[in-house]
Amino acid sequence: MTVDQDVPPRRSDRTRAAILAAARERFAADGYAKATIRAIAAQAGIDPSMVMRYYGSKEKLLAAAADFGLELPDLTLLAPAERTVALVRHLLDLCERNDTMIALLRVAATQEAAAERSRFLVANQIEPLIATIEPDPELARQRAGLLATQMLGLALTRYVLELPAVVAMSADELAAWMSPVLQHYLTGRPD
Amino acid sequence: MTVDQDVPPRRSDRTRAAILAAARERFAADGYAKATIRAIAAQAGIDPSMVMRYYGSKEKLLAAAADFGLELPDLTLLAPAERTVALVRHLLDLCERNDTMIALLRVAATQEAAAERSRFLVANQIEPLIATIEPDPELARQRAGLLATQMLGLALTRYVLELPAVVAMSADELAAWMSPVLQHYLTGRPD
DNA sequence: GGTGTAGGCCTACAGTTGTTGGCATGACCG
DNA sequence: CGGTCATGCCAACAACTGTAGGCCTACACC
C-alpha cells in the first residue's frame, strides 16, 4: 500500500477515485482481459482517454487497483482460541466489503504482475503476522504458506468459482469448520 | 468426461489431439484470453483455421479441453489413515502429470463455462466420493465443499500463484501437514 | 476581468482477435 | 486410372483493443 504524499487535493481526485473503483469492480467481475478500458471508463462515467491520462496504461491501472493492504488483525491482542475465527471472519469481511481482494485473486490467475503482488502480500503481511507468534523464521514461513492455501482456497471456491456447497455455508459455519485447521497451521506440527 | 463413440479412426485424429494438447498447454500457461487461437495453432504446428474446423469455436475448444475426469482413488479400498495422504498426493500428481487441471483452474477464474465445469467436477466426482464414507447426504456435500477449499487452495497457491513457501515444500511435507486437515473435513465435526 | 491551465471529450490509428470462404493436394476407393 | 472427399493452407474481414493527439470549456488566480 502506497503512503499518500502530502500533496494538495486536486479537482480531479473524484474522477481518479471513480476510475479506481470502477477498475476494481470490472477486474473483480471479468478478469484483466475482459475488463476493457472502455468498459471501466463507462462504469466510471467518463471518457476512456481519462484513464490513460491519470494512470498511464492499463498495466499501471492494474498496479494501482492491486495496491492495498490486508488490514490483518493483531494476533498478539487476541486470546489464542479467538485467533483462528478472527482470521476467517476477517477474510470473509475483506472479500465482501469491496471488490479489491476478489479482483486481485481473479486477475492474479492470468496476470503475472498481480500474481507477484499476491506473493508480496503473503511475504510482507502474512509472514510477519505469523512471526509474531512463531519464533522460528523458517517455520513461520511454512505456516504462512499453509495458512494461505486454506484462506485463498476459501476465497477462490466461495467468491470466484462459487461452489454451491461453499457459498451455502454461513460465515459462522465456515469459521467453526476451519478454526481447527488454522489452529493446526498456526501452532501444530506435521504428522 | 465424454465416452468415446465407436467411430472408425480418422487420419485427422493426430491433428485433433495435437490441437487439444496445445490448447491445454496454452490455457494453463496464459489463461483464456491470452491463449489465442493463433498461438494454440502455432504450438500444434498447424493453421489456425484447422482449430475452427475441428472444434467450431474457441468456446467449444475450451469445453473440450476442460472435459476430463479427476480419476480419484477409491477411498473404500484404503485404510482410513491412508486416505488423506492419498488425496493430497493424487492432486499433486494430477497437476504435475499434465496441464489439464491447471488449465481448468486458471481459466475458471475468468470464464464462466470453466467455472461451471469446476462446480460440476466437485458435485459429480468429489461429492459422490465422500458419499461412500459419509452416509448423511447434506453433510457429505459440506465435507466435499470444505475438501475443495483446501485442495483447490493448494493447487492455486502452488501452481498458479506459485507462492514460494508453498512451492518450496515437497509433496511429502505437504501431505504430512494437510493430512490432519483433510481428516477433519472427511470425518470431523465443526468446533 | 482577463488569462493560463487543468479537466474533459472526440477522433483516429495501428495492431490483434475470432471467424470465414476458397483453393490446393494427396489419399483412398471404384 | 479417374474421381471424390478429407485434410490442410492462405487471405481476408469485421470487430475490438490499448493508446495518442488535438480541441473545447470552465475554473482559479493575479
Side-chain angles (χ1 to χ4, degrees):
Chain A
M1 185 119 81
T2 313
V3 281
D4 5 37
Q5 312 273 356
D6 193 16
V7 56
R10 300 180 180 253
R11 194 154 45 97
S12 60
D13 283 349
R14 275 160 56 99
T15 305
R16 283 188 126 85
I19 292 174
L20 202 58
R24 283 171 171 155
E25 216 169 311
R26 297 327 302 157
F27 283 150
D30 296 335
Y32 186 76
K34 259 181 82 181
T36 64
I37 289 194
R38 284 169 172 84
I40 292 168
Q43 173 142 355
I46 47 95
D47 190 86
S49 63
M50 303 303 293
V51 179
M52 301 301 298
R53 168 144 15 179
Y54 288 132
Y55 290 95
S57 72
K58 192 180 177 182
E59 276 286 344
K60 289 182 192 162
L61 174 62
L62 169 60
D67 186 19
F68 73 106
L70 300 177
E71 303 163 51
L72 292 164
D74 185 346
L75 294 185
T76 61
L77 297 181
L78 283 80
E82 296 172 334
R83 290 170 180 169
T84 55
V85 272
L87 285 173
V88 175
R89 302 194 67 93
H90 180 77
L91 173 74
L92 296 178
D93 197 53
L94 187 68
C95 290
E96 280 163 23
R97 201 170 29 209
N98 60 53
D99 308 292
T100 314
M101 179 69 190
I102 299 166
L104 178 64
L105 198 56
R106 197 159 245 148
V107 173
T110 54
Q111 296 299 305
E112 178 54 25
E116 170 57 32
R117 175 75 193 161
S118 77
R119 289 191 288 266
F120 178 89
L121 286 175
V122 171
N124 292 61
Q125 299 203 24
I126 300 189
E127 276 188 36
L129 182 79
I130 308 296
T132 63
I133 58 171
E134 168 58 60
D136 177 358
E138 181 50 36
L139 193 52
R141 206 173 114 87
Q142 282 198 0
R143 294 193 191 282
L146 292 162
L147 200 83
T149 66
Q150 179 61 96
M151 294 292 240
L152 295 182
L154 172 58
L156 175 78
T157 54
R158 187 173 167 96
Y159 301 105
V160 176
L161 303 183
E162 300 186 28
L163 300 185
V166 181
V167 173
M169 281 188 262
S170 69
D172 283 336
E173 285 179 291
L174 288 168
W177 273 106
M178 294 188 171
S179 182
V181 172
L182 298 190
Q183 192 60 53
H184 177 235
Y185 288 154
L186 283 180
T187 59
R189 291 277 163 178
D191 257 5
Chain B
M1 187 121 83
T2 315
V3 280
D4 9 30
Q5 312 274 355
D6 193 15
V7 60
R10 300 181 181 254
R11 194 155 46 95
S12 61
D13 284 348
R14 276 161 54 101
T15 305
R16 284 189 125 86
I19 293 174
L20 202 59
R24 285 172 169 155
E25 218 169 310
R26 298 326 304 156
F27 283 150
D30 297 334
Y32 186 76
K34 258 181 81 179
T36 65
I37 289 196
R38 283 170 172 84
I40 292 169
Q43 174 143 354
I46 47 94
D47 190 87
S49 63
M50 303 303 294
V51 178
M52 301 302 298
R53 183 179 321 225
Y54 288 132
Y55 290 94
S57 72
K58 192 181 178 183
E59 275 285 347
K60 288 183 193 162
L61 174 62
L62 169 61
D67 186 20
F68 73 106
L70 299 178
E71 303 163 49
L72 292 165
D74 185 345
L75 293 184
T76 61
L77 298 180
L78 282 80
E82 297 171 333
R83 290 171 180 168
T84 54
V85 273
L87 284 174
V88 176
R89 302 193 68 90
H90 180 77
L91 173 74
L92 297 178
D93 197 54
L94 187 68
C95 289
E96 281 164 21
R97 203 168 31 209
N98 60 53
D99 309 292
T100 313
M101 180 68 191
I102 298 165
L104 178 63
L105 198 55
R106 196 159 244 146
V107 173
T110 54
Q111 297 299 305
E112 176 55 26
E116 170 58 33
R117 176 73 193 163
S118 78
R119 290 190 288 266
F120 178 89
L121 286 174
V122 172
N124 291 63
Q125 298 202 25
I126 300 188
E127 275 188 36
L129 182 79
I130 308 298
T132 62
I133 58 171
E134 169 57 60
D136 178 358
E138 182 49 36
L139 193 51
R141 206 173 114 88
Q142 282 197 0
R143 294 192 190 283
L146 292 163
L147 200 83
T149 66
Q150 178 61 97
M151 295 292 239
L152 295 182
L154 172 57
L156 176 77
T157 53
R158 187 174 168 93
Y159 301 106
V160 176
L161 303 183
E162 300 186 29
L163 300 185
V166 180
V167 174
M169 282 189 261
S170 69
D172 282 335
E173 286 179 290
L174 288 168
W177 273 106
M178 295 188 170
S179 182
V181 172
L182 299 190
Q183 193 60 52
H184 177 236
Y185 288 154
L186 283 180
T187 60
R189 290 277 162 179
D191 256 6

